[in-house]
């Protein structure tokens, strides 16, 4: 049943917030085993969820919208292994309170994390939420589940999304993917702002190595600023690699646990023929001027790696941006209004972050980007887990 009562929603979100607070140490330890993220960034996810829950009925579930939606019915939600705090709570909460019967498939690694939140806590039973957590072992099992639902919501890789989209198409089931993607930054600003932008870029690029659609993967810098930018970027990158602050970004276990992916990354970087690779340790990496048509710049890696390339004209940059498959959004840093409008008006991304910190998007959007590559704010969370309707009266 659709939960319209504000007090009941406040009680549910308060119980969720209390639960993750009381079991914080246990959930942090589970999160670390699942993702290998550092405590610093697990804390960031935790605070994002706490903030989201605190403001849920105020910012994310307005009455005027709720009164014009109906649940889709039985839906399948498939979660990726990363971001267990965010994924196990924010999309699942919205799918449930809209009134759906939710079949939830977390990753094998995150299954216990999800069960602690919704089943072992007793919250599903207390609030009459229709939730079933599954762990299918075969392709046939997941296909059977798809046949029995109205819609599938998927968080994960592009290749898996292609396979699931085919099954959903054959079964006439709605398919909503949030696939692994990444963000690109454009710097075309006064040279006095380079130092601050470089420091922010390094933070945004390496901070969430486990979630590529929440970080900057590449930078385009105007050719008149490029030499100055790259000089400062190299200096600050090397400084960060020798600093204790790196421990905030990359866990000691991360490199050994990601060795296979790291080997693939090195091969792809080599094929991209960059002019330079700066690597103080195994990770992070800074890749200078790779070929834009290479697999390296096309792919979204779950690793802390950053590339940088110059551009000369807006038209050239627009052509490059429109050729991309894996950019979720564009972070534009520019003091030229005409340039900003030119980029926005001639590209089709789902998010444009203009002259503001990319890292500010989480509390405002909940998770991911903006639909269809992600979920933007309360409207997409609520609307895409439901069917809207209108009433026409004489």
């Amino acid at each position: 049943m659709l939960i319209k009562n504000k007090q009941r929603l406040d009680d549910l979100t308060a119980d969720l917030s209390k639960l993750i607070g009381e079991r914080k140490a246990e959930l942090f330890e589970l999160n670390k085993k699942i993702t290998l993220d550092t405590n610093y960034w697990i804390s960031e996810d935790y605070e994002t969820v706490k903030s989201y829950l605190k403001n849920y009925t105020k910012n994310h579930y307005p009455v005027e919208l709720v009164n014009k939606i109906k649940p889709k019915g039985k839906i399948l939600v498939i979660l990726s292994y990363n971001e267990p705090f965010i994924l196990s709570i924010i999309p699942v909460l919205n799918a449930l309170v809209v009134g759906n019967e939710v079949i939830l498939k977390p990753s094998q690694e995150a299954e216990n994390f999800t069960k602690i939140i919704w089943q072992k806590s007793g919250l599903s039973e207390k609030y009459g939420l229709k939730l079933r957590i599954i762990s299918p072992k075969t392709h046939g099992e997941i296909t059977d589940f798809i046949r029995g639902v109205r819609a599938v919501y998927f968080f994960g890789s592009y290749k898996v999304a292609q396979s699931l989209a085919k099954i959903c198409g054959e079964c006439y089931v709605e398919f909503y993917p949030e696939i692994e993607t990444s963000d690109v930054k454009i710097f075309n600003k006064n040279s006095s702002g380079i130092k601050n932008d470089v420091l922010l870029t390094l933070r945004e690029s390496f901070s969430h190595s486990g979630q590529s659609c929440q970080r900057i993967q590449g930078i385009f810098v105007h050719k008149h600023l490029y030499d100055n930018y790259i000089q400062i970027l190299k200096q600050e990158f090397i400084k960060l690699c020798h600093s204790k602050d790196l421990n905030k970004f990359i866990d000691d276990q991360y490199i050994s646990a990601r060795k296979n992916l790291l080997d693939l990354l090195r091969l792809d970087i080599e094929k991209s023929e960059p002019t330079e690779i700066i690597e103080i340790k195994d990770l992070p990496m800074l890749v200078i001027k790779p070929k834009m048509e290479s697999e390296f710049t096309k792919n979204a890696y779950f690793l802390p790696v950053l590339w940088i390339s110059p551009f000369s004209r807006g038209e050239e940059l627009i052509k490059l941006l429109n050729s991309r498959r894996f950019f979720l959004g564009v972070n534009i840093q520019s003091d030229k209004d005409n340039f900003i409008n030119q980029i926005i008006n001639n590209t089709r991304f789902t998010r444009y972050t203009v002259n503001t910190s990319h890292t500010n998007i989480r509390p405002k959007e909940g998770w991911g980007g903006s639909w269809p590559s992600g979920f933007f704010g309360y409207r997409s969370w609520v609307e895409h887990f439901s069917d809207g309707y209108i009433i026409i009266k004489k």
Side-chain angles (χ1 to χ4, degrees):
M1 179 180 291
L2 180 66
I3 300 180
K4 295 184 179 181
N5 184 281
K6 183 180 183 298
Q7 185 58 54
R8 188 165 171 77
L9 279 172
D10 284 339
D11 291 344
L12 171 57
T13 52
D15 280 350
L16 275 168
S17 188
K18 181 181 177 183
L19 169 71
I20 63 175
E22 291 177 344
R23 305 190 70 164
K24 182 177 178 180
E26 178 186 6
L27 292 171
F28 268 50
E29 188 61 30
L30 275 174
N31 194 150
K32 191 173 179 64
K33 288 178 180 177
I34 295 164
T35 64
L36 299 179
D37 278 344
T38 64
N39 278 350
Y40 180 87
W41 288 108
I42 295 172
S43 296
E44 289 287 304
D45 282 353
Y46 173 80
E47 292 300 330
T48 293
V49 171
K50 291 278 283 189
S51 173
Y52 188 89
L53 294 174
K54 181 180 179 181
N55 298 295
Y56 186 68
T57 51
K58 182 170 68 176
N59 295 337
H60 303 288
Y61 207 76
V63 172
E64 64 271 17
L65 178 61
V66 173
N67 286 332
K68 296 178 182 178
I69 60 173
K70 293 180 180 180
K72 284 188 174 291
K74 185 183 288 187
I75 63 173
L76 174 62
V77 179
I78 301 174
L79 305 180
S80 58
Y81 80 94
N82 52 312
E83 306 282 7
F85 262 111
I86 291 175
L87 287 183
S88 293
I89 296 177
I90 293 179
V92 180
L93 169 68
N94 282 273
L96 288 168
V97 300
V98 164
N100 293 298
E101 180 181 345
V102 178
I103 300 173
L104 181 64
K105 184 205 170 299
S107 69
Q108 185 176 354
E109 300 92 336
E111 185 175 333
N112 192 43
F113 191 103
T114 307
K115 285 182 175 179
I116 288 173
I117 301 297
W118 294 105
Q119 289 184 340
K120 296 178 182 180
S121 66
L123 286 180
S124 291
E125 183 178 358
K126 178 179 178 179
Y127 289 93
L129 304 173
K130 298 176 182 178
L131 175 66
R132 179 184 175 192
I133 298 176
I134 62 169
S135 52
K137 300 295 188 292
T138 66
H139 181 81
E141 285 182 83
I142 196 69
T143 301
D144 288 340
F145 280 114
I146 290 174
R147 288 196 182 103
V149 300
R150 163 82 186 278
V152 173
Y153 295 82
F154 171 74
F155 299 77
S157 73
Y158 183 81
K159 288 183 179 179
V160 177
Q162 284 182 310
S163 174
L164 291 175
K166 185 174 184 296
I167 299 170
C168 288
E170 292 169 350
C171 300
Y172 296 98
V173 171
E174 297 171 21
F175 182 57
Y176 300 93
E178 200 293 330
I179 59 175
E180 61 177 38
T181 53
S182 59
D183 281 69
V184 65
K185 171 176 278 192
I186 300 166
F187 188 84
N188 185 18
K189 213 169 188 176
N190 191 291
S191 59
S192 62
I194 290 178
K195 176 70 176 290
N196 287 337
D197 193 76
V198 163
L199 294 173
L200 186 59
T201 297
L202 291 173
R203 173 185 169 89
E204 293 171 343
S205 180
F206 301 144
S207 60
H208 248 281
S209 50
Q211 180 52 50
S212 59
C213 75
Q214 287 289 2
R215 65 180 176 82
I216 298 296
Q217 182 159 311
I219 322 169
F220 289 110
V221 179
H222 195 279
K223 66 177 184 178
H224 294 309
L225 303 163
Y226 182 79
D227 288 342
N228 194 4
Y229 197 103
I230 196 68
Q231 181 182 358
I232 296 174
L233 179 62
K234 287 179 181 180
Q235 291 171 354
E236 295 301 328
F237 175 81
I238 292 169
K239 191 185 299 184
L240 174 63
C241 289
H242 289 297
S243 166
K244 290 182 180 179
D245 285 343
L246 191 63
N247 295 330
K248 293 180 179 179
F249 304 143
I250 302 169
D251 190 272
D252 291 338
Q253 304 175 54
Y254 196 92
I255 297 167
S256 59
R258 297 289 187 269
K259 187 177 184 308
N260 291 340
L261 190 54
L262 186 57
D263 290 342
L264 173 62
L265 172 66
R266 291 183 191 284
L267 182 61
D268 285 351
I269 290 175
E270 183 181 337
K271 290 179 179 177
S272 74
E273 300 179 12
T275 58
E276 187 178 1
I277 302 170
I278 303 178
E279 186 179 4
I280 308 303
K281 302 180 179 181
D282 287 320
L283 289 172
M285 289 187 204
L286 180 60
V287 182
I288 314 298
K289 291 180 70 174
K291 287 185 175 179
M292 286 295 101
E293 67 273 15
S294 65
E295 283 300 310
F296 166 61
T297 58
K298 288 180 182 178
N299 282 334
Y301 297 89
F302 287 82
L303 290 168
V305 57
L306 174 69
W307 55 258
I308 181 168
S309 183
F311 73 93
S312 57
R313 296 180 300 110
E315 292 79 8
E316 170 201 354
L317 182 57
I318 288 166
K319 187 175 180 180
L320 282 170
L321 293 172
N322 286 335
S323 70
R324 312 306 301 165
R325 178 186 293 174
F326 287 111
F327 285 157
L328 172 66
V330 178
N331 183 311
I332 306 172
Q333 300 295 324
S334 175
D335 47 16
K336 303 169 180 63
D337 289 341
N338 289 340
F339 174 79
I340 294 169
N341 292 330
Q342 181 186 24
I343 298 299
I344 293 175
N345 292 335
N346 292 283
T347 56
R348 297 183 63 187
F349 293 100
T350 55
R351 177 179 63 229
Y352 297 90
T353 311
V354 180
N355 291 328
T356 187
S357 168
H358 175 77
T359 54
N360 285 335
I361 67 174
R362 279 174 173 260
K364 295 177 182 178
E365 295 192 1
W367 188 88
S370 50
W371 198 263
S373 295
F375 295 88
F376 176 65
Y378 70 83
R379 292 196 66 84
S380 284
W381 279 120
V382 173
E383 288 179 322
H384 285 282
F385 283 124
S386 62
D387 291 320
Y389 65 92
I390 59 173
I391 299 172
I392 302 173
K393 293 183 179 180
K394 184 177 179 181

